[in-house]
């Protein structure tokens, strides 16, 4: 930022009133990049231009782009909130919370037309049609549509059934009419009033209420039976069975919980996921998730408020249930008239909230998996940025090395080092270490030896050093690594992964002295670090088992009097296993090691002979 711009901004801030209002930051191109609200405009805006460690990297980047400050004075904080909300929706400033919902959910639409059709769609058009959903999957949506078409006889054709077209007799009935799936409105065999009653029943089904359609089917079946039209009665009986089957497969929440909406929020680095569950008449009738960027200075309550507004306007049909279940209260309830927000602590409502949170985690996992497949470089960049931020590193840890020890009560002590580059294992750089200077089960001494051997050699060879070292252990192992690096004159960041009583990755430490990093166990970064720990543990255990097995084989053969290491090697090179040595005859053994040794070996394995 130039001196001229800095002086201009300082003057603009000094002229701001102490009244409540909304402020806007403008960049060199004249674009509004941020909109905020304030109880006191001057105090709030001046805080952006004060050097503070509390400012995030995103705030510092934004401040460097500001060349002009605009403001609007309002009468109260409430007015400022409402105006800010309206401006953000209209302007979509880069550094505000923004919705990034790039998923198009399937809906069921009841068309606004003569003799309305019930169809599948992914596009919401504000033309007066009724939309129901969104549905979490196409399979779920199709099962609902199939049920409706099975029990309610509505048309599926694309004909223009205006009164004039029907009166002119332009159409003839199709196969669906003869199958009993349509009552022939195209030829005037069904009145618009009768058809609309069927559409009303479909709407009730889509809202989760199956009672009207059940009453209709039972009545039609009874009338057909009384008129001795048993084939027609059987058809309605089959539709009632389909209704019972559908009711059995629908997600019933509770007899006590009738109409509620549920929202959950899952923050994840620079984005957040808000899941929405709609419950009507005790059944879940819609589930969806939207993705938001976190913006500048936004907290979770602000993100939840924005997400609820968006879902209500774009997905929820413009209105909320009278009761809304949330993990915490939104930043304001003034935007939602007549709505009671509930933060459950126990019981069925808490179970509903947990269901919503699980749905958000599944959606996030799908998004990250798609990102990893479609854009692996972007996925890696995201992981590296997150790791750099959480561990307070100077640069991205593109080269990571992790160490682990393995022994059995001090026997056959070994250690392993695995190497990750750009978030992927670099197996050709993995290394095994036989512990040479340590007697007995001493993990700290083993770690000291291995780390010294590894980095003193890299130093001597002038090889590349890692950006981050991870110890498979907590503070103690980190302290040992720090001592070795300090003795070698190296400055490499250190992290430690500690496991819980069930041997699962539980805590992450960084720095020296080690500090606990508050990382969510459900986050992708935590899973990435756990995968590194699992890999180094697998590599160390495999090496230890191989060494132990090899020692057992050698020790068994070396128990034979007159057989030394050279003879053992000769036998194993030829027979490949002790079992084949045991099964060999005197002639085969003699050809390899001579008759005297062959006799001893044969007698050892066959003492009865």
């Amino acid at each position: 930022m130039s001196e001229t711009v800095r002086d201009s901004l300082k003057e603009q801030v000094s002229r701001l009133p102490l009244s409540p209002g909304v402020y806007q930051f403008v960049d060199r191109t004249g674009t509004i990049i941020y909109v905020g609200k304030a109880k006191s405009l001057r105090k709030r805006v001046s805080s952006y231009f004060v050097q503070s460690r509390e400012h995030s990297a995103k705030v510092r980047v934004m401040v460097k782009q500001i060349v002009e400050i605009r403001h609007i004075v309002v009468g109260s904080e409430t007015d400022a909130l409402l105006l800010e909300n309206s401006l953000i929706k209209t302007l979509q400033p880069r550094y505000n919370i923004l919705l990034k919902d790039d998923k198009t959910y399937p809906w069921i639409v009841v068309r606004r037309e003569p003799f309305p059709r019930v169809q599948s769609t992914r596009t919401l058009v504000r033309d007066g049609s009724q939309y129901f959903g969104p549905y979490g999957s196409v399979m779920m949506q199709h099962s609902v549509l199939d049920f409706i078409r099975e029990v309610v006889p509505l048309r599926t054709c694309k004909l223009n059934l205006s009164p004039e077209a029907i009166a002119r007799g332009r159409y003839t009935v199709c196969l669906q009419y003869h199958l009993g799936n349509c009552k022939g409105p195209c030829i005037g065999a069904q009145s618009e009033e009768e058809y609309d009653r069927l559409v009303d029943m479909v709407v009730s089904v889509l809202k989760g209420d199956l009672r009207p359609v059940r009453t209709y089917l039972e009545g039609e079946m009874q009338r057909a039976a009384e008129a001795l039209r048993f084939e027609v009665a059987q058809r309605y009986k089959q539709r009632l069975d389909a209704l019972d089957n559908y009711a059995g497969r629908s997600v019933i929440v509770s007899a006590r919980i009738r109409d509620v909406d549920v929202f959950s929020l899952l923050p994840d680095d620079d984005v957040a996921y808000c899941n929405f569950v709609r419950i009507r008449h005790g059944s879940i009738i819609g589930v969806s998730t939207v993705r938001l960027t976190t913006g500048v200075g936004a907290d979770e309550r602000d993100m939840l408020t924005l997400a609820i507004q968006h879902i209500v306007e774009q997905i929820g049909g413009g209105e909320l249930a009278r009761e809304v279940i949330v993990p915490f209260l939104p930043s304001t309830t003034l935007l939602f008239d007549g709505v009671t927000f509930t933060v459950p602590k126990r019981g069925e409502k808490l179970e509903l909230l947990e269901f919503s949170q699980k749905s958000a985690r599944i959606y996030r996992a799908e998004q990250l998996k798609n990102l990893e497949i479609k854009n692996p470089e972007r996925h890696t960049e995201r992981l590296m940025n997150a790791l750099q931020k959480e561990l307070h590193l100077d640069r991205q840890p593109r080269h990571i090395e992790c160490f682990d020890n393995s022994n059995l009560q001090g026997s056959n002590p070994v250690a392993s080092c695995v190497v990750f580059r750009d978030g992927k294992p670099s197996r050709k750089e993995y290394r095994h270490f036989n512990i040479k200077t340590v007697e007995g089960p001493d993990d700290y001494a083993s770690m000291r030896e291995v780390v010294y051997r590894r980095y003193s050699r890299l130093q001597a060879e002038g090889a590349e050093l890692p950006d981050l070292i991870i110890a498979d252990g907590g503070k103690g192992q980190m302290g040992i690594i720090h001592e070795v690096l300090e003795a070698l004159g190296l400055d490499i960041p250190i992290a430690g992964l500690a496991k819980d009583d069930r041997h699962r990755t539980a805590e992450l430490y960084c720095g020296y002295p080690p500090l606990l990093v508050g990382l969510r166990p459900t986050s992708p970064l935590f899973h990435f670090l756990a995968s590194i720990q699992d890999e180094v543990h697998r590599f160390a255990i495999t090496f230890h088992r191989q060494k132990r097995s090899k020692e057992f084989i050698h020790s068994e053969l070396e128990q034979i009097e007159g057989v030394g290491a050279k003879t053992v090697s000769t036998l194993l090179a030829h027979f490949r296993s002790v079992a084949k040595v045991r099964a060999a005859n005197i002639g085969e053994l003699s050809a390899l090691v001579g008759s005297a040794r062959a006799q001893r070996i044969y007698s050892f394995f066959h003492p009865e002979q």
Side-chain angles (χ1 to χ4, degrees), residues 162-411:
S162 63
E164 296 80 11
I166 296 174
R168 286 199 296 268
R170 294 179 54 187
Y171 308 121
T172 58
V173 294
C174 62
L175 178 63
Q176 296 300 322
Y177 173 81
H178 295 292
L179 292 174
N181 297 329
C182 176
K183 293 192 174 184
C186 58
I187 60 171
Q190 183 182 29
S191 68
E192 195 163 356
E193 291 75 15
E194 182 188 355
Y195 190 95
D196 287 342
R197 284 197 295 272
L198 296 180
V199 171
D200 290 340
M201 283 190 286
V202 170
V203 170
S204 296
V205 170
L206 293 172
K207 289 182 176 180
D209 188 0
L210 304 180
R211 292 170 297 179
V213 71
R214 183 183 297 278
T215 301
Y216 164 77
L217 293 174
E218 289 174 345
E220 291 294 312
M221 183 180 67
Q222 184 67 29
R223 280 188 287 273
E226 290 173 354
L228 305 181
R229 300 167 60 207
F230 297 116
E231 289 185 2
V232 176
Q234 177 61 23
R235 187 182 303 158
Y236 283 111
K237 175 66 168 61
Q238 291 172 348
R239 289 174 176 172
L240 272 170
D241 292 341
L243 178 69
D244 292 335
N245 181 54
Y246 176 77
R249 287 188 289 110
S250 64
V251 183
I252 305 300
V253 176
S254 170
R256 295 191 297 272
I257 300 178
R258 303 293 294 166
D259 301 328
V260 298
D261 290 331
V262 185
F263 293 88
S264 63
L265 190 72
L266 180 62
D268 182 21
D269 299 327
D270 58 344
V271 297
Y273 301 90
C274 182
N275 178 263
F276 164 59
V277 179
R278 168 152 287 183
I279 297 159
R280 295 295 181 268
H281 303 287
S283 297
I284 295 176
I285 64 170
V287 181
S288 62
T289 304
V290 296
R291 185 164 64 94
L292 311 94
T293 58
T294 54
V296 168
D299 61 16
E300 294 183 359
R301 298 173 69 237
D302 289 331
M303 287 188 279
L304 182 61
T305 302
L306 178 69
I308 293 175
Q309 284 184 280
H310 170 79
I311 289 171
V312 170
E313 294 170 3
Q314 303 297 325
I315 298 177
E319 62 181 27
L320 283 169
R322 298 294 297 273
E323 182 181 13
V324 175
I325 297 172
V326 288
F328 46 82
L329 293 178
S331 58
T332 178
T333 58
L334 298 173
L335 302 173
F336 312 105
D337 293 334
V339 175
T340 300
F341 287 92
T342 302
V343 181
K345 301 299 182 185
R346 63 180 68 86
E348 294 175 338
K349 292 181 180 179
L350 180 60
E351 291 175 2
L352 282 175
L353 182 60
E354 290 171 346
F355 170 77
S356 176
Q357 291 168 336
K358 180 180 179 180
S359 300
R361 288 194 295 270
I362 292 172
Y363 178 83
R364 179 187 63 182
E366 292 173 352
Q367 293 288 301
L368 293 176
K369 191 64 178 176
N370 289 338
L371 178 64
E372 186 175 0
I373 294 171
K374 295 178 181 178
N375 192 346
E377 292 81 9
R378 176 71 184 95
H379 175 72
T380 299
E381 186 74 17
R382 192 171 182 272
L383 269 180
M384 296 298 102
N385 278 334
L387 193 53
Q388 179 184 2
K389 176 183 175 183
E390 293 293 342
L391 300 184
H392 308 289
L393 305 177
D394 295 333
R395 62 178 183 272
Q396 291 184 350
R398 293 284 179 165
H399 176 185
I400 301 173
E401 296 189 356
C402 183
F403 293 88
D404 186 25
N405 299 321
S406 183
N407 65 75
L408 182 63
Q409 296 181 342
S411 67

